[in-house]
Structures are given as structure tokens and as C-alpha cells.
Amino acid sequence: MKKIVIEGNHLLSGTVHIGGAKNSVVALIPASILTKGKCVIENVPDISDVRILIDTLKYLGSKVTFKDEVLTIDNSNVEPKAISEEFASKIRASYYFMGSFLSRFNTVDISCPGGCVIGTRPIDIHLEAFSKMGVKIKEDDGHYVMNTKKLEGKNIFFNFPSVGATINVMLSAVLAKGKTKIINAATEPEITNVASFLNSMGAKVFGAGTSTIEITGVEELHDGYVKVIPDRIEAGTYLIIGSLLGRNFKVDDIIEEHLYALISKLEDAGVKLKVGKNSITVNKTKNLKAVNIKTGVYPGFVTDLGQPMSAFLTQCEGESLFEETIYENRLRHVPHLNNMGADIKAFDKKAIIRGKTNLVGRKVKATDLRAGAAMLIAGMVANGTTTIYNIEHLLRGYERLVDKLNNVGANIKLIDE
Ligand code: EPZ
């Protein structure tokens, strides 16, 4: 088990470079299965989710090299082997093998996806779309066997603009017979990143990034190339840290447009942000003001920054109202923040956060990936030493986290006990 020990309240100066987006690359890697051609994916973060997907590809018969943030993948010999619980249950994104296998092999045998315990996280929207496109689905105790003669393009309306289902339908439509239209599609930047990868292989995907995406099926795909977009969640997490502890703290290699909602809320709280070409510089801000946060789909305030932001709100004068609208159970970190001296009253998917509270270092745990980010922020601000257990959650989504922070003045130790 891994833990980190943080000596709090160190000012941070210097530059943090943002890596490729976890929530994009975990779709791009399974998407490479669609073609027998060679795929090159640049700006790949070295995080455990990527390592798990590389191992899965190798198990399926892929030839994969990963060097200097570049993934080179040759799936010409991949076979439609069953993807067991050993692989599938480790991450949520394993469900992207459904769309890519159905397109390439017309069949998939896969266990239920894993992922952070932040809600029930069903995949009904994915399954409903697949069956509309002519897939026969057998489900037995969370294990899926799906078959189709040939995927058929259809008009698919989503009751909810699901990120995963939007990507999965794109993967299943690119080689289908005829045209597919996704209505009420998710518009997150990661969708556009995946669409550009598919189009680099010769797919015909139009409208990615809008709520209507049209895909015209083609016969086959060829070599593909893509550069992973910057991780807006990693970037936002560091901007929040810099707003609390920065002294000329620069977050580099970002896309400002992907962070508009966070930037606006940090400015409302009184933070001054200096926006450069691909960077934002922030400083520790005194007399932060309480702001209300309501998470939502893009371009709203992204749910993945809700938990980190709740730690920030403990340092704002006044009463902030926080509301999570995407997941049922994304406030499991609240008792751990209160244990450090925060004053948060949580009920259902809402919380009232009263500040400013002086946080004190404690032994706490990360209940999920972004809860871990919230505890990291609290530990860095707190007086004294904070130990965060179950830190594997955090290391899934933040590449070289401890190095990046210690390089700008933090005092964090990663201990494998
Ligand atoms: C992706 O999850 C991200 N994960 C999540 O990031 C992110 O929070 C989420 O998109 C929203 O932005 C990856 O990309 C690997 P959804 P995904 O389908 O695809 C419900 C992180 O911290 N839903 O848009 O699962 C679902 O239960 C992670 O990096 C259904 O009901 O998101 C949830 O309440 C956490 N049925 C909501 O929709 C379905 O078939 C959003 O899910 C699918 C989803």
C-alpha cells in the first residue's frame, strides 16, 4: 500500500508542466484496435491507467512500445480474446474495448468496467445504443458477450450526454454500414481528441465537440496519429493549489478554453490569474471570497474538479454552496476534510462549506481519485504533517505528482509500505 506524507504550508514557486489527458488517452488506446495499421499516440502520460491498457493490448496480441511519452501500437495481430475481470475491472475505460471490438471483430466478450466508486455508474446508455445498431447482448452477472452480423448506422438519441457512451458509439459507428447520428452527444474536449484520431485513420466523423455528431461508416481504416490534449483536470488541480500557495506559480502546456469555468470561479473568489499563450500563472491570494459551485457537463464546471475545489472553498471567507450534479456519491472526502478542521455540512449531493478554517495535518485517506486530490490540497495548506493513505487512487490520474510538486517547493514523501 502506498501513502504520501505532506509537510504543509510551503509556498510554491516555479513551473509545473501538464501532461496528456487521462480521460482522452484511456479512449485513444482502445480505439487503436479499430485498425490493422500502425498507430502513433503522442503526449501520453505515464500513469497507471495507461500501463493497465498497454498490458491489456499486449494480452490481446498487440505490439506496443512506450518511450518518451510516445506510444507506438501495431494491432495487426490482435485477436478478439475475452477481456476478463483481471483487466476490465481495474478501470472504467475498459468499456471502450466494446465499441472497438464490435467494429473490428463484430464480437466482444468482456467483464464489467471498474472505476472510482462515486456512484452506480451504469452503462445502459452504451448498451442501448449498441442494441439499436444491431448488437445482440448477453449479460450474466456483470459479464457481457455481444455479437452482431454487421453494425448498422442509426440515429441514436442520448437521454444524458454521456462522455463514455458518446465515444463508444463513435468507435462502433466508424466501420458500420451507413450513417450514425448521435443526438445530445457529450461535448467534452476529449471527444474531439478521439474524433481527430479516428479521422486520422480515415474515418468520417463530423461535429465532434457539438451535441450532434455524424459518422459515415467506411470499409476499413489505415494508420492513425494523434497528440493527446493537455489534461484539463490535472491543470485545474494545480491552478487551485497555486491559488492557495503559489508565488509566481506557473501551470504550463494548457488550453485555456478547457478551463474557462474554473478560471471564472477562481476570479470570483479574488484570485488574479495571468494568462499566457499556453500557460497560466497564479499567486497565493489573501482574503479569498466564498463562491458557489454547481458541477455540470462541459462547458460547465467539470465534476472532476468539484472535489479539489471543495478543499479550496474551506480557505474562502464566508459560506459557499457546493452542488454535484453528475454523480450520486462524490462527497466521500468531506469527513476527511472535516477531520482536518474544515467546516462542511454535506447532505445528498450538496454541501455548505464555511470558511476560512485553519486546517491541521492529520492521517486521512483517499476514497477515490479526485477525493485524493482534495486531500492533497488540504494537506498542502494545513499546518503540520498530513498522511494520505490509499494514494494509489491519486497516482492513477496525476503523472509524477510528487516530483512535480517537490520541484516547486513542496515537501512530500511517497512511501510504499
Ligand atoms: C468520464 O466518465 C470520465 N472518465 C470521468 O472522469 C468524468 O467524471 C465523466 O466522464 C464526466 O465528465 C473517463 O473518461 C475514464 P459519463 P464516464 O458517461 O464516461 C451516468 C475522473 O475523475 N451514466 O458522462 O463514465 C453516470 O453514472 C473520472 O477522471 C449512466 O447513467 O462519464 C454518471 O452519473 C471520474 N448511464 C453520468 O452519467 C450510462 O450508460 C456521467 O457519466 C453512462 C453514464
Side-chain angles (χ1 to χ4, degrees), residues 22-23 92 95 123-125 162-164 304 326 330 370:
K22 168 182 86 77
N23 291 345
R92 171 92 175 155
Y95 58 27
I123 60 168
D124 55 313
I125 302 173
S162 153
V163 170
D304 299 343
I326 303 293
R330 207 163 195 177
R370 307 302 174 185

Side-chain angles (χ1 to χ4, degrees), residues 161-306:
S162 153
V163 170
T166 300
I167 292 174
N168 236 339
V169 171
M170 284 201 304
L171 300 181
S172 56
V174 288
L175 291 167
K177 190 155 92 347
K179 227 179 209 184
T180 298
K181 191 185 280 190
I182 308 173
I183 301 123
N184 195 23
T187 64
E188 274 71 3
E190 293 76 25
I191 312 270
T192 309
N193 203 196
V194 173
S196 61
F197 184 38
L198 300 176
N199 288 340
S200 79
M201 298 177 195
K204 293 193 170 114
V205 182
F206 305 102
T210 75
S211 51
T212 304
I213 301 178
E214 290 195 13
I215 304 115
T216 306
V218 295
E219 281 304 307
E220 68 171 346
L221 297 168
H222 49 67
D223 293 1
Y225 166 81
V226 69
K227 183 175 181 185
V228 185
I229 56 171
D231 192 317
R232 59 196 170 104
I233 312 303
E234 183 192 18
T237 305
Y238 284 115
L239 281 176
I240 290 169
I241 292 171
S243 304
L244 295 168
L245 290 166
R247 183 188 285 149
N248 215 8
F249 182 80
K250 185 176 187 182
V251 180
D252 207 359
D253 310 320
I254 63 153
I255 297 175
E256 183 201 1
E257 182 191 343
H258 295 171
L259 291 158
Y260 279 161
L262 173 70
I263 290 168
S264 164
K265 286 297 180 180
L266 289 176
E267 286 175 341
D268 289 352
V271 179
K272 301 271 175 296
L273 300 103
K274 195 167 122 246
V275 179
K277 190 164 172 304
N278 301 310
S279 68
I280 296 179
T281 302
V282 284
N283 288 287
K284 173 175 181 169
T285 308
K286 289 195 175 51
N287 311 321
L288 288 166
K289 295 191 290 293
V291 288
N292 295 336
I293 299 286
K294 181 173 182 176
T295 66
V297 297
Y298 192 81
F301 193 96
V302 61
T303 172
D304 299 343
L305 284 176

Side-chain angles (χ1 to χ4, degrees), residues 5-27:
V5 179
I6 306 167
E7 189 186 85
N9 217 358
H10 286 260
L11 287 181
L12 306 175
S13 297
T15 300
V16 168
H17 292 278
I18 299 305
K22 168 182 86 77
N23 291 345
S24 188
V25 73
V26 296

